Amino acid sequence: MKNLNVVYCCIVLLFALGCSNSSKNRSGFTISGTITNPGSLKKIYLFQADSAGLSMVDSTNLGENGQFKFQRSTPYANLYDLRLGTNSIFDLIAKNGDDITFATNLTDTAHKYTVSGSEDSQKIQEFNRIGNSFNGQISKITEQYRAEAEKLGHESDSLISIYRPLLEKQLDAQSTAILKFSNENKNSLAGFYAITSVDQIKYESQLVAYADAIRNNFKDNPAVQRFVRTMDGVKPISVGQKAPDFTTGGIDGKPVSLSDYKGKYVLIDFWASWCGPCRHENPNVVRLYNIYKNKGLNILGISLDVDKNAWQQAISQDKLAWNHASDLKRFDGPTENLYHIQAIPANFIIDPQGTIIAKNIMGPDLEEFLNKTFNKPQ
């Protein structure tokens, strides 16, 4: 095997020296292909990932046989989209030196395609197949729920209780498959783009670990480095880290600090009177607090309100019988910045040692976690 590798390297070297077009090809990349059954389609567009998302960088007319070709240069391996009409979008990853060949049939409702000349493009095609395999089931469950709700003529909590677990099971399975794919492809940009599709809140610890693993792999790619910086910012307040201390104003005007809860379990609940999802979750938190407060659960509500009267009124209306504090600066308060609060509701559960043991769990997930925490065998 060692000798074969040596022979292979020699052949590659001779080929590079002997081909007059090699230096030209390596200064950029090409994407060429054939669109079978293009119908009325006359033009194909090339989009490139940038800081704003995806922007069009080139277009070309289809030839008589549905053929096309793009020639471009890129300072780093990057994500590109081929767009045909309004519904057909195909992901590719290209770097200088790639000679990518693409083919698809526009009459294929499954939007299947073939690609060669770029291992990363084949990897992202594999990722898309993973997503599509779950999307069919997710769409089916959603359609079944809508059909049942239409029969009733209104939304139904009983129907939601039936279909939500089915939907969540598929979404969890899809995310598990994506995380597996990403971790198996840490040296490919396809792995990076795949993992950015999972829920950043729910899978934060996995994303932080992934950022650590790939930080030296794609130093010239701005999207990767931006992701790494974001995860570096999140890491100090992720599960397993010591919760940073803070002091803010209590609703009675007296200072409140996280250190006041040293040696206790405390749930820090970021919310606001104007936040609909927060108010919807409050009855669940009240119910669970009444169950577990005598077993050691404390709650500290941190409001993102600016109107103190509205804040106090919401506390009274929702019967939130725990301590409350606020910077009264929405998302711009020092406590919110310290904990990287960008959306609410948000919460952190901290153990008696001051370690963050759970984050952003609500509804049945919160109930399950508290049950395990306070009813575990001694």
Side-chain angles (χ1 to χ4, degrees), residues 8-207:
Y8 175 77
C9 290
C10 290
I11 291 172
V12 170
L13 179 60
L14 288 170
F15 181 81
L17 293 173
C19 297
S20 60
N21 289 329
S22 177
S23 60
K24 180 180 179 181
N25 288 341
R26 292 178 193 282
S27 66
F29 65 88
T30 64
I31 302 174
S32 56
T34 302
I35 311 300
T36 303
N37 296 316
S40 60
L41 187 72
K42 302 297 182 184
K43 208 163 194 176
I44 183 168
Y45 299 89
L46 182 67
F47 282 70
Q48 172 185 300
D50 57 27
S51 59
L54 285 164
S55 58
M56 192 185 78
V57 292
D58 208 347
S59 64
T60 188
N61 293 323
L62 290 179
E64 290 184 5
N65 298 317
Q67 295 177 327
F68 69 90
K69 186 173 185 177
F70 291 107
Q71 289 182 302
R72 295 196 64 81
S73 180
T74 178
Y76 45 82
N78 202 7
L79 176 71
Y80 292 85
D81 274 357
L82 288 177
R83 299 198 179 189
L84 299 87
T86 57
N87 297 319
S88 299
I89 302 173
F90 303 92
D91 297 321
L92 302 173
I93 294 175
K95 63 182 182 299
N96 290 342
D98 285 346
D99 188 6
I100 302 172
T101 302
F102 171 91
T104 191
N105 187 332
L106 278 195
T107 60
D108 179 12
T109 57
H111 302 290
K112 293 179 181 177
Y113 66 99
T114 60
V115 62
S116 61
S118 165
E119 185 177 350
D120 277 348
S121 292
Q122 292 173 322
K123 287 288 185 182
I124 207 162
Q125 182 183 32
E126 180 184 341
F127 160 63
N128 286 334
R129 282 196 293 264
I130 292 172
N132 291 338
S133 67
F134 287 97
N135 288 340
Q137 285 298 318
I138 291 170
S139 296
K140 184 178 179 180
I141 293 169
T142 303
E143 289 169 3
Q144 288 175 341
Y145 167 77
R146 287 175 178 168
E148 292 297 324
E150 189 174 340
K151 287 180 184 178
L152 290 174
H154 58 81
E155 299 285 338
S156 165
D157 288 342
S158 60
L159 281 179
I160 290 174
S161 67
I162 294 172
Y163 284 98
R164 177 181 285 168
L166 298 176
L167 185 60
E168 289 177 347
K169 182 178 179 180
Q170 286 297 318
L171 291 171
D172 288 344
Q174 183 181 44
S175 296
T176 298
I178 291 172
L179 291 169
K180 181 176 184 294
F181 171 86
S182 296
N183 284 309
E184 290 175 349
N185 292 280
K186 290 175 181 174
N187 294 319
S188 170
L189 272 177
F192 163 69
Y193 285 113
I195 204 167
T196 57
S197 69
V198 302
D199 186 330
Q200 183 173 331
I201 293 176
K202 188 169 186 177
Y203 298 99
E204 182 181 274
S205 60
Q206 291 91 331
L207 289 165

Side-chain angles (χ1 to χ4, degrees), residues 224-333:
V224 174
Q225 294 309 310
R226 189 163 53 249
F227 167 76
V228 170
R229 289 193 299 271
T230 299
M231 291 302 107
D232 284 348
V234 168
K235 188 174 182 178
I237 43 95
S238 62
V239 173
Q241 302 295 315
K242 290 292 183 181
D245 194 16
F246 60 85
T247 299
T248 184
I251 197 164
D252 58 2
K254 297 178 181 178
V256 175
S257 299
L258 178 60
S259 56
D260 296 340
Y261 296 86
K262 185 177 181 180
K264 302 176 181 179
Y265 282 99
V266 58
L267 185 156
I268 307 175
D269 182 29
F270 290 90
W271 73 294
S273 66
W274 45 260
C275 169
C278 302
R279 304 293 295 273
H280 181 77
E281 174 67 7
N282 277 346
N284 181 56
V285 181
V286 169
R287 180 178 63 84
L288 294 173
Y289 177 66
N290 289 331
I291 294 172
Y292 294 106
K293 64 182 180 180
N294 293 329
K295 295 186 177 184
L297 175 65
N298 297 275
I299 298 179
L300 172 59
I302 303 294
S303 170
L304 274 68
D305 279 285
V306 292
D307 183 337
K308 188 173 182 179
N309 289 332
W311 173 31
Q312 290 176 314
Q313 186 176 22
I315 291 171
S316 176
Q317 288 175 342
D318 293 358
K319 299 179 174 58
L320 310 182
W322 49 78
N323 289 340
H324 294 275
S326 178
D327 297 319
L328 293 174
K329 294 182 179 180
R330 290 179 66 93
F331 291 93
D332 297 321

